[in-house]
Amino acid sequence: MIKNNVVIAGVGESDIGKVPELSGLGLNAQAAKRALDDAGLELKDVDGLLTAYSMTEPYFMMGSVLAEYLGIKPTYCASLTVGGGTPGTALHHAAMAIATGQAKTILVTAGENRATGQSRDAAVQALTQVGHPYFENPYGPLIPSFYAMIANRYMHEFGTKREEMAAVAVRAREHAIRHPASPMSKGITTEDVLSSKPISTPLNILDCCLISDAAGALVVTSADRAKDLKSDPAYLLGIGESHTHEHMTMAPSLTEFGTTISGNAAYDMSGLTPAHIDFAELYDCFSIVPIIEAEELGFAKRGEAGAMFAEGATSIEGSFPINTHGGLLSYAQAGASGGMHGIVEAVRQLRGNEGDRQVKKHDIGLVHNEGGILSSHCTMIFGREAI
Amino acid sequence: MTDLLPSPDMSPDAGPYWDAAKENRFLLQNCDACGEWRFVPSHLCTHCGSDKTSWKEPSGRGVIYSLTTVHRGPTAEFRAYTPYIIVFVDLVEGPRIMTNLIGEGAEHAAIGDAVEVCFEARQGNTKVPQFCLAPKGDAA
Ligand SMILES: [Zn+2]
């Protein structure tokens, strides 16, 4: 059983933004050290390691490479490639290994030096690898082009407004400014978003996530073991996945996604409903995405989540805070790191020590990771206590 | 612009698709077992799992499911053509396909507009299927 028995006992992040003095492996190691410090553990205590992939340092066996870089010899080790869904799915695998006794202390890390490890053109070109090599890339799509077409159809079908998408970016920036580790210090307005450089209509540059140097890490262990550790654990109450396609051409639907399926699996495992969730850290690679996810996860009816962002319900002081760290839009996005920052933030919010970024109700938090073109999903529900 | 865009990468699964495009013909796989059309090309039918399939010529007509105008191309070749339009087309026969929308009036196109297949020359004597707005009154 995963529910109540598996916890995140420590979280850490590397320095965020532009970190030219560290390699991608170095960023993962820095985050791992900070997560272990947070738990009161050392590298020698780690017997499991799961990590992601890297575009800037595309090692063949990333899990083994990171283990040798850290100087550890785990008995459970692999790398996963599920795009932005990787941190959540890695946590799911780690939770299964902890629950079945295959490992006792698992480090889960993700991130890379996306900002300084390659040229901006190389970064943009690397990201075309998400498109279908034979039947999409010959037509010149960017990743934003795929999400732009989802946004146009979603607005057409459900009445989501362009200004509501812009409000998602505005709220993210407001939250990032309050985060001590965030590189952001200046607010933006809806008008700034609407008049920023067009990338692929309707998406402008401020509707798109950052390109950062960043990594995050989790220490995953059993609830029993966490009792003796330094920091308050976050209990994994529910987790679920859904994988409906990779390439957008093959998506079974472009208005209903796997978010609902992974969300329902997480709700079922936890025995909770959307009404029990105090705050959420959603995947926001583009401004349309958290609107879709909030609706698919049951926080608003179809077509109505945009107003939550526009009218302030999702603010830290609002009735349902979303993306309290600033998300991929304004905090950090480095390969697979984006969703990891959401998990780290949820654990910190549950502990309740985040100062002027702290949400008022913080018993139960939900995190959603998404990879590809709304292709692979993982929904996680965390609690301050076992339930 | 006079430079042709690069030739598409072609997978062995889809030889007949690209060979037909060179002759301005649009071919898709049609399952011998269940009769469904499918795209992208694959060894097994994604509807029923059968490995019995034939390449056939669909109507080449469909409607725009969604679209976007690209202002920042992924490579130098595509950047030379910006802004250009990408569309998802729902074919009359069922499958969805992504191409560019080219030809007259493309910049005014909207979701739901009727379109039909056309072809664009690429480098290396290849062609790719594209879609153009259908003549007015020509319902898909
Ligand atoms: Zn079939």
Side-chain angles (χ1 to χ4, degrees):
Chain A
M1 284 284 289
I2 289 174
K3 180 185 175 183
N4 292 335
N5 293 322
V6 175
V7 301
I8 296 176
V11 294
E13 289 170 311
S14 70
D15 295 347
I16 300 255
K18 283 193 165 59
V19 192
E21 66 277 17
L22 285 178
S23 67
L25 288 171
L27 293 167
N28 279 271
Q30 190 181 52
K33 169 91 169 87
R34 290 172 178 172
L36 287 165
D37 286 349
D38 183 45
L41 291 170
E42 296 177 41
L43 279 167
K44 66 174 172 51
D45 300 314
V46 173
D47 63 349
L49 176 68
L50 292 176
T51 190
Y53 52 90
S54 172
M55 298 265 191
T56 55
E57 297 169 3
Y59 290 103
F60 175 52
M61 296 159 62
M62 190 56 90
S64 306
V65 168
L66 182 58
E68 74 182 15
Y69 185 89
L70 293 170
I72 60 174
K73 299 177 192 66
T75 51
Y76 175 83
C77 180
S79 52
L80 284 79
T81 307
V82 197
T86 304
T89 51
L91 174 62
H92 197 183
H93 284 266
M96 290 187 269
I98 296 291
T100 55
Q102 300 302 302
K104 289 191 165 53
T105 307
I106 302 177
L107 256 180
V108 178
T109 82
E112 57 185 281
N113 53 343
R114 216 25 107 69
T116 62
Q118 60 186 355
S119 74
R120 195 174 171 85
D121 280 355
V124 169
Q125 200 159 352
L127 290 173
T128 64
Q129 290 171 12
V130 173
H132 196 293
Y134 307 120
F135 295 103
E136 293 174 346
N137 290 351
Y139 301 100
L142 300 160
I143 293 184
S145 310
F146 294 113
Y147 283 95
M149 286 188 278
I150 287 172
N152 272 333
R153 186 71 199 192
Y154 212 79
M155 290 192 286
H156 175 82
E157 199 124 344
F158 301 118
T160 300
K161 298 185 180 71
R162 177 68 186 90
E163 294 73 21
E164 293 172 340
M165 288 164 52
V168 171
V170 172
R171 294 283 102 81
R173 184 63 62 89
E174 288 168 358
H175 295 174
I177 289 170
R178 299 198 202 180
H179 197 305
S182 156
M184 294 297 175
S185 57
K186 202 167 151 285
I188 52 172
T189 64
T190 300
E191 188 46 45
D192 290 337
V193 179
L194 296 178
S195 62
S196 64
K197 195 174 111 186
I199 300 294
S200 199
T201 58
L203 300 178
N204 294 342
I205 188 86
L206 288 176
D207 293 287
C208 303
C209 64
L210 304 172
I211 297 176
S212 318
D213 296 331
L218 314 172
V219 177
V220 185
T221 188
S222 66
D224 275 350
R225 179 141 195 270
K227 290 193 177 102
D228 305 326
L229 298 180
K230 190 170 108 188
S231 296
D232 291 340
Y235 289 80
L236 185 55
L237 304 179
I239 187 164
E241 298 181 32
S242 171
H243 307 269
T244 55
H245 61 282
E246 204 271 53
H247 302 109
M248 185 164 152
T249 298
M250 301 298 280
S253 167
L254 292 175
T255 48
E256 291 176 31
F257 298 93
T259 318
T260 302
I261 300 166
S262 65
N264 285 344
Y267 288 133
D268 284 351
M269 185 188 291
S270 66
L272 301 171
T273 69
H276 294 103
I277 310 295
D278 296 325
F279 65 93
E281 313 295 350
L282 305 181
Y283 203 81
D284 59 341
C285 46
F286 299 96
S287 58
I288 183 66
V289 175
I291 293 175
I292 295 173
E293 290 170 342
E295 293 171 10
E296 295 233 322
L297 290 165
F299 302 130
K301 293 199 185 101
R302 283 280 182 206
E304 295 183 5
M308 292 170 65
F309 290 91
E311 291 162 13
T314 64
S315 295
I316 307 263
E317 290 79 14
S319 55
F320 190 74
I322 292 178
N323 291 0
T324 50
H325 58 317
L328 286 70
L329 285 168
S330 265
Y331 182 64
Q333 162 57 1
S337 88
M340 182 63 94
H341 303 298
I343 301 172
V344 169
E345 174 70 1
V347 173
R348 288 175 174 159
Q349 289 287 347
L350 289 174
R351 291 177 183 170
N353 306 317
E354 294 310 307
D356 73 344
R357 208 176 79 258
Q358 179 62 49
V359 302
K360 210 178 296 164
K361 281 193 67 195
H362 55 99
D363 293 324
I364 293 171
L366 179 146
V367 183
H368 188 81
N369 287 183
E370 173 261 303
I373 313 298
L374 286 156
S375 315
S376 281
H377 300 263
C378 184
T379 309
M380 296 146 267
I381 300 174
F382 298 103
R384 200 145 62 97
E385 308 282 351
I387 57 169
Chain B
M1 294 306 306
T2 50
D3 289 351
L4 296 179
L5 283 163
S7 162
D9 286 342
M10 301 175 192
S11 77
D13 282 351
Y17 182 86
W18 297 113
D19 289 345
K22 283 183 199 171
E23 302 165 355
N24 294 343
R25 287 193 306 133
F26 184 53
L27 288 189
L28 293 181
Q29 286 174 308
N30 183 251
C31 178
D32 293 343
C34 74
E36 293 278 354
W37 296 82
R38 69 179 184 268
F39 186 81
V40 304
S42 55
H43 181 63
L44 303 179
C45 173
T46 46
H47 300 278
C48 77
S50 168
D51 61 358
K52 302 282 185 288
T53 189
S54 303
W55 288 90
K56 293 184 185 168
E57 199 158 1
S59 67
R61 292 188 297 148
V63 295
I64 295 176
Y65 180 81
S66 195
L67 73 175
T68 183
T69 302
V70 181
H71 290 274
R72 168 107 167 70
T75 61
E77 290 104 333
F78 279 103
R79 277 199 281 284
Y81 279 84
T82 54
Y84 53 89
I85 301 168
I86 295 176
V87 281
F88 266 85
V89 171
D90 281 350
L91 299 172
V92 170
E93 289 79 7
R96 182 171 291 158
I97 181 172
M98 194 194 101
T99 69
N100 300 120
L101 187 72
I102 60 174
E104 206 177 327
E107 65 276 17
H108 303 300
I111 288 173
D113 284 355
V115 292
E116 59 188 23
V117 73
C118 53
F119 296 86
E120 178 186 273
R122 293 288 179 100
Q123 292 170 19
N125 288 318
T126 59
K127 286 185 181 176
V128 294
Q130 295 282 25
F131 276 80
C132 308
L133 287 171
K136 282 244 169 358
D138 187 9

